[in-house]
Amino acid sequence: MSEALRITRVDITPVAFKDPALLNAVGVHEPYALRAVLEVHTAQGLTGLGETYADEGHLRRLRTAADALVGMDVHDLGPMRRRVAEVLGGDSGSDGHGLTGMITTSSTVDRVFSPFEVACLDIRGHATGRPVSDLLGGAVRDRVPFSAYLFYKWAAHPGHEPDGWGPALDPEGIVAQARRMVTEYGFTAIKLKGGVFRPEQEVEAVLALREAFPGLPLRLDPNAAWTVETSLRVARDLDGVLEYLEDPTPGQEGMARVAREASMPLATNMCVVAFDELPAAVRGEAVQVVLSDHHYWGGLQRSKLLAGICDTFGLGLSMHSNSHLGISLAAMTHLGAATENLTYACDTHWPWKDPAEDVIAPGALGFRDGSVAVPRAPGLGVELDRDALAVLHEQYLRCGLRNRDDTGYMRRLDPTYEKKSPRW
Ligand SMILES: O=C([O-])C(=O)C[C@H](O)[C@@H](O)C(=O)[O-]
Ligand SMILES: [Mg+2]
């Protein structure tokens, strides 16, 4: 029988890293993105890493969970999730920005449990000398494809230095951004974050992308900024152009109405974000593709459970991303490697991160031909850089941001700005 690996301590360190002025349906990204880095320590001297959101409410829940998990064996993931549910006692929080749908008590448990699960799998990988993808059932691919994730953006945050990407506020700017991303990273699929400008303008940008990149699959995601009627108009305008249309309109009912007439599949990371939302979505044929995300689907193993459900019900599977660091990229890559029915290139915000900022030692992860090689070293295959962690923690303390608030930031810059879903 394998030896118990007991958790003795968990360190949770909030960090902030620079984020460009990326526009979306609820406002604009603030100058820093926040993440929390978890280090789970065991009596045997092994440490595992996890990465998650760092909004204040989430940090408080992570700390409550961390205290409750001390003494447990890293193999006991089921009992650990149950323990997290017990100590949270029904406490549920919102995502703050409203881009990932309804948060329930059970999905809050999944969000809080996720980074602990990833860290425990990292430890188990170190204990057995196996990469996390092996612990998830084995890698079915040795490279995981990601898509270029385009954003309308300003050249700089007001009062800050330009970020080097330049502005992207029209089709030319979007095509130029895509060209740089495809050239530098080799991406073989492209997603445009929409919901920022009038739908006609975003359709024009997608058509410009189609002309500039005739062979690459394209996606458009307005984060539920459109009515059913507007969604259907856009679907007609982009007939034969998109591999999928992501969350055109709010709610499963609206999505189902669009899905009945749109020629392309509809994808979501808004109207199906938890297991208890799947039955109605399947019954109502609201979506054809679900975007998984281990950060809120309860970790890597529960994301594989989601993959199985999608497979059973004939749903496609893609992967959602928020601004993230290297621990998350490693976890996403292991999951992508071990998920047979991952039918689309995954989202990643990686190109938007300043390459000089991360919490992992450089060299473990890199892009070639739009994909990341699955690390073969034990565990996640990435190593924490303590000096870099300290620098980004200092930046967190200095920057003053404590919760993601794209709408509040936009309103400070433009007091007339209103958050609306649908907007058009
Ligand atoms: O719908 C999506 O794909 C997202 O919510 C991804 C990100 O949150 C993105 O919209 C962002 O960061 O502005
Ligand atoms: Mg989305």
Side-chain angles (χ1 to χ4, degrees), residues 99-100 149 191 193 220-224 244 246-247 267-270 291 296 320-321 347:
L99 289 172
T100 39
Y149 197 164
K191 162 167 166 171
K193 171 65 38 167
L220 174 60
D221 175 13
N223 281 111
Y244 59 67
E246 191 172 318
D247 287 310
T268 189
N269 63 267
M270 296 184 77
L291 273 73
Y296 61 77
H320 167 265
S321 154
D347 287 356

Short mmCIF file of all heavy atoms in Angstrom, two decimals, residues 99-100 149 191 193 220-224 244 246-247 267-270 291 296 320-321 347, ligand 2:
data_model
loop_
_atom_site.label_atom_id
_atom_site.label_comp_id
_atom_site.label_asym_id
_atom_site.label_seq_id
_atom_site.Cartn_x
_atom_site.Cartn_y
_atom_site.Cartn_z
N LEU A 99 -18.57 37.46 -16.15
CA LEU A 99 -18.27 36.87 -17.46
C LEU A 99 -18.38 35.36 -17.45
O LEU A 99 -18.24 34.71 -18.48
CB LEU A 99 -16.87 37.27 -17.93
CG LEU A 99 -16.69 38.74 -18.35
CD1 LEU A 99 -15.23 39.05 -18.59
CD2 LEU A 99 -17.50 39.06 -19.60
N THR A 100 -18.61 34.79 -16.27
CA THR A 100 -18.66 33.31 -16.22
C THR A 100 -19.96 32.80 -15.59
O THR A 100 -19.96 31.74 -14.98
CB THR A 100 -17.43 32.72 -15.50
OG1 THR A 100 -17.11 33.54 -14.39
CG2 THR A 100 -16.25 32.62 -16.41
N TYR A 149 -5.90 34.52 -28.87
CA TYR A 149 -7.05 35.13 -28.19
C TYR A 149 -6.95 36.65 -28.38
O TYR A 149 -6.22 37.32 -27.66
CB TYR A 149 -7.02 34.75 -26.71
CG TYR A 149 -8.31 34.94 -25.94
CD1 TYR A 149 -8.47 34.33 -24.71
CD2 TYR A 149 -9.35 35.72 -26.43
CE1 TYR A 149 -9.63 34.48 -23.97
CE2 TYR A 149 -10.52 35.88 -25.70
CZ TYR A 149 -10.65 35.26 -24.47
OH TYR A 149 -11.80 35.42 -23.74
N LYS A 191 -9.51 33.34 -31.85
CA LYS A 191 -10.75 33.77 -31.19
C LYS A 191 -10.72 35.27 -31.00
O LYS A 191 -9.71 35.82 -30.55
CB LYS A 191 -10.86 33.07 -29.82
CG LYS A 191 -11.85 33.74 -28.85
CD LYS A 191 -12.14 32.84 -27.67
CE LYS A 191 -12.83 33.59 -26.54
NZ LYS A 191 -13.32 32.71 -25.48
N LYS A 193 -12.43 38.28 -28.89
CA LYS A 193 -13.32 38.69 -27.79
C LYS A 193 -14.13 39.88 -28.27
O LYS A 193 -13.58 40.93 -28.60
CB LYS A 193 -12.45 39.06 -26.58
CG LYS A 193 -13.14 39.71 -25.43
CD LYS A 193 -14.17 38.86 -24.70
CE LYS A 193 -13.85 37.41 -24.52
NZ LYS A 193 -14.67 36.68 -23.60
N LEU A 220 -15.93 33.83 -32.36
CA LEU A 220 -16.28 35.16 -31.86
C LEU A 220 -17.04 34.98 -30.55
O LEU A 220 -17.95 34.15 -30.47
CB LEU A 220 -17.15 35.87 -32.92
CG LEU A 220 -17.74 37.24 -32.55
CD1 LEU A 220 -16.64 38.26 -32.21
CD2 LEU A 220 -18.60 37.77 -33.69
N ASP A 221 -16.66 35.76 -29.53
CA ASP A 221 -17.26 35.61 -28.20
C ASP A 221 -17.66 36.98 -27.63
O ASP A 221 -16.84 37.67 -27.05
CB ASP A 221 -16.24 34.94 -27.26
CG ASP A 221 -16.75 34.86 -25.82
OD1 ASP A 221 -17.96 35.07 -25.60
OD2 ASP A 221 -15.93 34.55 -24.93
N PRO A 222 -18.95 37.37 -27.79
CA PRO A 222 -19.38 38.67 -27.26
C PRO A 222 -19.88 38.62 -25.81
O PRO A 222 -20.45 39.61 -25.34
CB PRO A 222 -20.51 39.05 -28.22
CG PRO A 222 -21.13 37.75 -28.59
CD PRO A 222 -20.03 36.71 -28.57
N ASN A 223 -19.67 37.51 -25.12
CA ASN A 223 -20.09 37.40 -23.71
C ASN A 223 -21.52 37.89 -23.47
O ASN A 223 -21.76 38.77 -22.62
CB ASN A 223 -19.10 38.14 -22.78
CG ASN A 223 -17.84 37.33 -22.52
OD1 ASN A 223 -16.76 37.71 -22.98
ND2 ASN A 223 -17.96 36.23 -21.82
N ALA A 224 -22.44 37.33 -24.25
CA ALA A 224 -23.88 37.56 -24.02
C ALA A 224 -24.28 39.03 -24.18
O ALA A 224 -25.18 39.51 -23.49
CB ALA A 224 -24.29 37.02 -22.64
N TYR A 244 -17.13 28.21 -34.22
CA TYR A 244 -18.25 28.32 -33.28
C TYR A 244 -18.46 29.76 -32.87
O TYR A 244 -17.56 30.60 -32.99
CB TYR A 244 -18.16 27.38 -32.08
CG TYR A 244 -16.97 27.46 -31.14
CD1 TYR A 244 -16.74 28.56 -30.33
CD2 TYR A 244 -16.12 26.36 -31.00
CE1 TYR A 244 -15.67 28.58 -29.41
CE2 TYR A 244 -15.06 26.37 -30.10
CZ TYR A 244 -14.84 27.48 -29.31
OH TYR A 244 -13.81 27.49 -28.42
N GLU A 246 -19.54 31.91 -29.61
CA GLU A 246 -19.51 31.67 -28.16
C GLU A 246 -20.42 32.66 -27.43
O GLU A 246 -20.25 33.88 -27.59
CB GLU A 246 -18.05 31.81 -27.72
CG GLU A 246 -17.77 31.36 -26.31
CD GLU A 246 -16.26 31.37 -26.03
OE1 GLU A 246 -15.46 30.94 -26.90
OE2 GLU A 246 -15.86 31.83 -24.94
N ASP A 247 -21.33 32.16 -26.64
CA ASP A 247 -22.20 32.98 -25.78
C ASP A 247 -22.68 34.26 -26.46
O ASP A 247 -22.46 35.37 -25.94
CB ASP A 247 -21.46 33.32 -24.48
CG ASP A 247 -21.35 32.13 -23.55
OD1 ASP A 247 -22.37 31.48 -23.29
OD2 ASP A 247 -20.22 31.83 -23.10
N ALA A 267 -21.07 27.80 -28.51
CA ALA A 267 -20.22 27.37 -27.39
C ALA A 267 -20.54 28.23 -26.18
O ALA A 267 -21.10 29.32 -26.31
CB ALA A 267 -18.75 27.52 -27.77
N THR A 268 -20.17 27.74 -24.99
CA THR A 268 -20.44 28.53 -23.79
C THR A 268 -19.42 28.37 -22.69
O THR A 268 -18.88 27.29 -22.49
CB THR A 268 -21.82 28.18 -23.17
OG1 THR A 268 -22.11 29.14 -22.14
CG2 THR A 268 -21.86 26.79 -22.58
N ASN A 269 -19.13 29.47 -22.00
CA ASN A 269 -18.54 29.42 -20.66
C ASN A 269 -19.36 30.32 -19.74
O ASN A 269 -18.89 30.79 -18.73
CB ASN A 269 -17.07 29.84 -20.65
CG ASN A 269 -16.86 31.26 -21.08
OD1 ASN A 269 -16.62 31.52 -22.25
ND2 ASN A 269 -16.94 32.21 -20.16
N MET A 270 -20.64 30.53 -20.15
CA MET A 270 -21.50 31.40 -19.34
C MET A 270 -22.81 30.74 -18.92
O MET A 270 -23.25 30.93 -17.80
CB MET A 270 -21.82 32.69 -20.12
CG MET A 270 -20.59 33.53 -20.37
SD MET A 270 -20.98 35.10 -21.18
CE MET A 270 -21.64 36.05 -19.82
N LEU A 291 -17.08 25.02 -22.89
CA LEU A 291 -15.70 25.37 -22.57
C LEU A 291 -15.43 24.93 -21.13
O LEU A 291 -16.05 25.44 -20.20
CB LEU A 291 -15.46 26.89 -22.70
CG LEU A 291 -15.08 27.36 -24.10
CD1 LEU A 291 -16.28 27.31 -25.04
CD2 LEU A 291 -14.52 28.76 -24.08
N TYR A 296 -12.73 26.45 -12.34
CA TYR A 296 -14.07 26.48 -11.73
C TYR A 296 -14.88 25.20 -11.90
O TYR A 296 -15.96 25.09 -11.33
CB TYR A 296 -14.87 27.73 -12.14
CG TYR A 296 -15.19 27.94 -13.59
CD1 TYR A 296 -16.22 27.21 -14.21
CD2 TYR A 296 -14.51 28.88 -14.32
CE1 TYR A 296 -16.53 27.44 -15.54
CE2 TYR A 296 -14.80 29.11 -15.66
CZ TYR A 296 -15.81 28.39 -16.27
OH TYR A 296 -16.12 28.61 -17.59
N HIS A 320 -11.70 27.29 -21.65
CA HIS A 320 -11.78 28.73 -21.34
C HIS A 320 -10.52 29.17 -20.60
O HIS A 320 -9.86 28.36 -19.95
CB HIS A 320 -13.02 28.91 -20.45
CG HIS A 320 -13.14 30.22 -19.77
ND1 HIS A 320 -12.70 30.44 -18.47
CD2 HIS A 320 -13.67 31.39 -20.18
CE1 HIS A 320 -12.98 31.69 -18.13
NE2 HIS A 320 -13.56 32.28 -19.14
N SER A 321 -10.22 30.45 -20.70
CA SER A 321 -9.06 30.97 -19.95
C SER A 321 -9.32 32.37 -19.44
O SER A 321 -9.98 33.18 -20.10
CB SER A 321 -7.85 30.98 -20.88
OG SER A 321 -6.91 31.95 -20.49
N ASP A 347 -8.39 28.05 -25.23
CA ASP A 347 -8.11 29.48 -25.04
C ASP A 347 -6.91 29.64 -24.10
O ASP A 347 -6.73 28.84 -23.18
CB ASP A 347 -9.29 30.18 -24.35
CG ASP A 347 -10.49 30.36 -25.26
OD1 ASP A 347 -10.38 30.03 -26.45
OD2 ASP A 347 -11.52 30.84 -24.76
MG MG B 2 -16.38 32.99 -23.45
#
